[in-house]
């Protein structure tokens, strides 16, 4: 997992996994950024091989933060993640954010 920030943008490359084991790593990496200066969140998850409900919860939390603070949120996800999002009926919540 890689987290990059540049000029108000935060790029998160989830690489191959976003499970309960990865959530704390993502939180630590996000905590190391100056999150108040971030205006746009871009999450790349097309290469995920493992994705669970804890992973979905952290994506919801980041989107919720972005929405509350008028920040942009976009994510790219694959078939497996899209199916999990639909299973939990969260597709409407992420509508417009999935590219």
């Amino acid at each position: 997992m890689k987290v990059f920030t540049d000029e108000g943008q935060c790029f998160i490359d989830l690489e191959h996994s976003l499970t309960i084991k990865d959530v704390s790593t993502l939180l630590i990496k996000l905590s190391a950024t100056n999150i108040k200066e971030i205006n746009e969140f871009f999450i790349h998850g097309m290469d995920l091989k493992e994705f669970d409900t804890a992973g979905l919860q952290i994506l919801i939390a980041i989107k919720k933060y972005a929405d509350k603070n008028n920040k942009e949120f976009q994510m790219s996800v694959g078939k497996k993640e899209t199916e999990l999002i639909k299973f939990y009926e969260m597709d409407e919540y992420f509508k417009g954010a999935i590219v």
Side-chain angles (χ1 to χ4, degrees):
M1 177 176 312
K2 298 174 186 164
V3 176
F4 307 98
T5 58
D6 186 36
E7 297 183 14
Q9 296 179 326
C10 180
F11 303 93
I12 302 169
D13 184 353
L14 300 174
E15 295 181 327
H16 303 290
S17 178
L18 186 58
T19 65
I20 195 165
K21 295 181 280 185
D22 305 299
V23 168
S24 61
T25 301
L26 179 54
L27 286 174
I28 290 168
K29 290 184 178 200
L30 282 175
S31 297
T33 69
N34 190 350
I35 200 161
K36 291 182 180 180
E37 291 185 10
I38 295 172
N39 296 314
E40 300 170 292
F41 292 89
F42 299 101
I43 300 173
H44 176 74
M46 293 296 292
D47 302 322
L48 286 174
K49 305 268 187 274
E50 296 180 86
F51 184 67
D52 66 11
T53 55
L56 179 59
Q57 288 173 341
I58 191 68
L59 294 178
I60 291 168
I62 296 168
K63 183 174 185 321
K64 186 175 183 177
Y65 171 83
D67 290 346
K68 180 179 178 185
N69 293 283
N70 297 316
K71 314 280 185 175
E72 186 174 338
F73 176 91
Q74 290 184 356
M75 65 181 190
S76 59
V77 293
K79 183 180 177 185
K80 186 176 189 176
E81 299 75 43
T82 302
E83 288 173 359
L84 188 63
I85 289 168
K86 286 182 180 181
F87 177 80
Y88 284 106
E89 299 179 355
M90 297 299 297
D91 44 335
E92 191 64 32
Y93 182 74
F94 285 105
K95 186 177 183 179
I98 299 175
V99 293

